[in-house]
Amino acid sequence: MWIPHTIPKTTFHLFIPSDEIVSCRLLVNEVEQVISSVNFSWADCMPKPLKLLCLDNIANHFSWYPDQLFEWITPINTEYFVETLSTSLPIALVIHVPGDEYWRRRYVGTWPNDVISTRNPAVSVKIVYITKYVSDIIENLEPGYVDETELSDILMVCSPYVTAIDCQQLRIQGSMVHTLAIDEPKGILPHDPIHIDISFVLGILKNIQTLSLVYGSRTFTTKPPMYSPEQYRFNIDDMDTLGRGLVISEHLTSLAITKSELNMPKFNRLLPYLMKCHGLEEINFSFCKLSSLGGKSVAHFVKTAKMLKLVNLCGNNIGPDGVESLSFVILWRRNNNYPAIELNLNMNNISDIGAKYLASALASGVQPLTKLRIRNCNITEIGGLNIAQSLAYDRGLRALEIDNNPLTLEVANALHTTLKTNLNIMYISIQNCNFPQSITNFLSRVAFYNRHGKRSELIYVDFEYLCYDDDEVEQENISLEEGTMESETMENDVKEGLI
């Protein structure tokens, strides 16, 4: 018996009788041969309906039928059809298959170890599959051995459905893979490898909004993977091919080049192309090698990007000089009515000097930042005090992360004083900053109440009392929903993009 996938499985659980009820149905001398309401194996002895046999035949010869096939058959027949159609057919043949069931089966068959996940419920499984399928094709293209005709045919078929490319590691020429072998001394390359021509790909995929690339080699080994900086080198000429592709991508809003040897000269080569991408809203160059000079070049781009809202420079060894340029630019942007910036400088050596530049921008009162992330930035008491005190003059910052910095109790006191009047901080993370846990918890609770508009219901405990007795404070200051506050906080932070 065929049960359509559209019938929820929970429907059957409502009708499953308990073992006690099933056993009571049989009389003492009755032969145990019954048709169970939850056992459909008896239907295997029945001949298959002619309608289903016809659908099976169509599925076996799917290439014979036009794209309008699904307009001719009824919805219930379509449900059966997508459950039986082979998942190994070429993508060009099945691109018009509707619904999610067929694409779910194809996803599981192609990537059995992956879990289908989508942050946006409105995005169908079909879109998720085709996006990952195209990204995998681009990842595995080997420079110098690309059949552009075949590649063009595949990309043109998928183009209407693809708005994002996420390549986790681009390949280099096969002749260079041996040079990167683990057994080679230091894995030194004779020259920087050249990757595929991204402009050719972007010239066909006209609807790309999000582009994420990692320039590195893909090596094949049965041993656990071992990586070296040499594997993430790329040629400066790659910036020209990428740049030409960016310019023709009219819908591009987000660009990420991460975990690559992107330094200041290579970024400067890309910069003229970026200046022509007027629709960019997010840039992510995390875990590259920009350093302070590269940070200044990024600041030059940020000054001209009118739509930009997010800048991620995590793990780039940017020092105070780079932060000074960034701080000046984000301040200039707000004075010229450009959008405020979400700035991620985690894991950079900005020190107290860089923190002072950021604090000066915050204290300007023009609300230059929406979120500031400065974890692991070697900020001590002086820089921490500057940041904390600047919040008294800023009303635009919604999230602050300053974890894993060697701060002091004086900084905690300054944050406590500032947040008493600041109702805009909706998320604050201050773990591993040498603060007592009671103060850390209380300041997080303040941000929680701000986020839910319930600040008037919060008992704002004195700083001295927080330092005196952790247990009494926890008992006196009960949150709105104490039992579920922690899980609700994490859920809301993810939804609102605060984390």
Side-chain angles (χ1 to χ4, degrees):
M1 175 180 288
W2 170 61
I3 303 173
H5 63 271
T6 51
I7 297 179
K9 295 181 179 179
T10 53
T11 302
F12 296 103
H13 293 298
L14 294 176
F15 298 96
I16 296 178
S18 64
D19 294 336
E20 297 179 357
I21 296 177
V22 172
S23 60
C24 292
R25 290 178 179 176
L26 301 177
L27 301 176
V28 178
N29 298 323
E30 186 177 1
V31 179
E32 296 186 9
Q33 293 181 354
V34 296
I35 297 178
S36 175
S37 61
V38 293
N39 183 7
F40 298 101
S41 60
W42 56 268
D44 296 337
C45 301
M46 304 293 291
K48 204 168 190 179
L50 180 60
K51 178 181 70 173
L52 299 186
L53 291 175
C54 292
L55 291 172
D56 289 341
N57 186 66
I58 295 175
N60 293 333
H61 303 89
F62 187 66
S63 60
W64 297 357
Y65 295 87
D67 298 339
Q68 295 78 12
L69 172 65
F70 294 100
E71 299 176 7
W72 300 341
I73 60 178
T74 62
I76 190 64
N77 290 339
T78 300
E79 291 181 13
Y80 176 83
F81 192 80
V82 297
E83 293 181 18
T84 57
L85 185 63
S86 172
T87 58
S88 60
L89 294 172
I91 191 76
L93 283 179
V94 298
I95 197 70
H96 297 291
V97 175
D100 282 344
E101 177 61 20
Y102 173 78
W103 299 101
R104 183 197 62 78
R105 292 172 50 234
R106 188 160 180 137
Y107 192 104
V108 173
T110 308
W111 305 288
N113 297 323
D114 285 3
V115 177
I116 303 176
S117 61
T118 163
R119 295 182 178 180
N120 185 1
V123 178
S124 65
V125 179
K126 179 177 182 178
I127 298 296
V128 173
Y129 174 86
I130 297 177
T131 299
K132 184 172 175 59
Y133 174 80
V134 170
S135 296
D136 279 7
I137 287 178
I138 298 172
E139 271 192 36
N140 290 284
L141 293 175
E142 184 174 343
Y145 299 92
V146 177
D147 186 338
E148 292 189 352
T149 302
E150 180 182 357
L151 176 62
S152 178
D153 292 341
I154 295 175
L155 296 182
M156 288 183 67
V157 168
C158 299
S159 178
Y161 305 92
V162 180
T163 60
I165 297 176
D166 183 12
C167 295
Q168 300 180 6
Q169 195 177 28
L170 296 174
R171 288 187 63 178
I172 62 174
Q173 293 178 354
S175 59
M176 305 190 75
V177 173
H178 177 69
T179 311
L180 291 172
I182 298 174
D183 296 334
E184 291 287 331
K186 297 183 180 180
I188 298 177
L189 291 175
H191 54 81
D192 289 337
I194 296 179
H195 294 78
I196 62 165
D197 185 355
I198 294 294
S199 63
F200 176 79
V201 174
L202 295 179
I204 301 173
L205 300 176
K206 301 290 188 180
N207 301 317
I208 295 300
Q209 300 175 11
T210 302
L211 177 62
S212 179
L213 303 174
V214 177
Y215 283 93
S217 67
R218 182 176 288 278
T219 57
F220 302 93
T221 175
T222 56
K223 299 179 182 179
M226 297 177 63
Y227 303 105
S228 69
E230 299 293 333
Q231 291 176 272
Y232 295 92
R233 287 170 54 183
F234 62 96
N235 199 291
I236 194 170
D237 292 337
D238 285 328
M239 295 293 93
D240 289 318
T241 58
L242 172 61
R244 289 193 294 268
L246 297 179
V247 171
I248 61 178
S249 299
E250 299 177 356
H251 304 286
L252 187 68
T253 59
S254 176
L255 171 65
I257 303 175
T258 60
K259 295 179 286 187
S260 305
E261 200 178 65
L262 177 65
N263 52 26
M264 186 266 291
K266 292 173 183 174
F267 181 83
N268 286 344
R269 177 72 72 89
L270 183 64
L271 184 57
Y273 302 102
L274 285 177
M275 304 278 278
K276 300 178 182 179
C277 299
H278 304 297
L280 271 179
E281 298 179 5
E282 300 179 3
I283 56 172
N284 180 0
F285 303 126
S286 56
F287 301 105
C288 292
K289 296 186 177 182
L290 290 173
S291 70
S292 292
L293 292 177
K296 292 182 178 181
S297 297
V298 173
H300 183 67
F301 167 70
V302 172
K303 186 176 181 180
T304 63
K306 294 184 179 181
M307 304 296 293
L308 197 64
K309 299 176 183 177
L310 184 149
V311 178
N312 187 346
L313 299 174
C314 174
N316 271 278
N317 195 29
I318 296 175
D321 292 345
V323 178
E324 180 183 14
S325 299
L326 289 167
S327 301
F328 174 80
V329 166
I330 60 177
L331 192 57
W332 180 91
R333 286 174 57 90
R334 291 302 288 154
N335 287 326
N336 287 272
N337 297 320
Y338 286 12
I341 293 291
E342 175 184 344
L343 183 60
N344 187 341
L345 290 172
N346 290 341
M347 301 177 70
N348 286 288
N349 189 27
I350 71 174
S351 71
D352 291 336
I353 300 176
K356 183 178 180 181
Y357 292 133
L358 293 172
S360 298
L362 289 172
S364 64
V366 298
Q367 304 177 11
L369 296 171
T370 57
K371 302 170 190 175
L372 177 61
R373 294 178 167 89
I374 44 176
R375 293 175 172 175
N376 298 82
C377 288
N378 197 26
I379 300 173
T380 62
E381 179 179 306
I382 297 176
L385 285 173
N386 287 328
I387 293 292
Q389 293 166 359
S390 69
L391 298 180
Y393 306 94
D394 180 80
R395 290 297 178 267
L397 195 69
R398 295 174 53 225
L400 174 64
E401 296 178 4
I402 196 170
D403 311 72
N404 303 325
N405 286 292
L407 306 179
T408 62
L409 201 59
E410 292 298 324
V411 179
N413 191 6
L415 286 171
H416 179 273
T417 302
T418 302
L419 291 183
K420 190 171 185 177
T421 57
N422 189 316
L423 307 182
N424 298 279
I425 296 292
M426 299 181 181
Y427 177 80
I428 187 169
S429 184
I430 46 177
Q431 299 295 327
N432 301 323
C433 291
N434 301 324
F435 297 166
Q437 192 60 43
S438 59
I439 296 176
T440 300
N441 293 343
F442 178 75
L443 295 181
S444 297
R445 182 175 291 113
V446 171
F448 176 84
Y449 274 78
N450 286 346
R451 180 163 61 254
H452 291 278
K454 300 291 185 179
R455 182 60 180 272
S456 60
E457 300 181 20
L458 174 69
I459 302 174
Y460 209 89
V461 184
D462 292 338
F463 185 77
E464 293 78 9
Y465 187 56
L466 287 171
C467 298
Y468 176 68
D469 193 333
D470 290 359
D471 294 333
E472 290 186 12
V473 172
E474 292 297 326
Q475 289 296 326
E476 180 175 338
N477 195 15
I478 301 176
S479 63
L480 291 174
E481 298 177 7
E482 192 71 33
T484 59
M485 188 187 78
E486 203 65 36
S487 59
E488 184 183 351
T489 300
M490 289 297 295
E491 181 181 352
N492 287 326
D493 290 343
V494 173
K495 288 182 179 179
E496 299 174 19
L498 294 175
I499 294 182

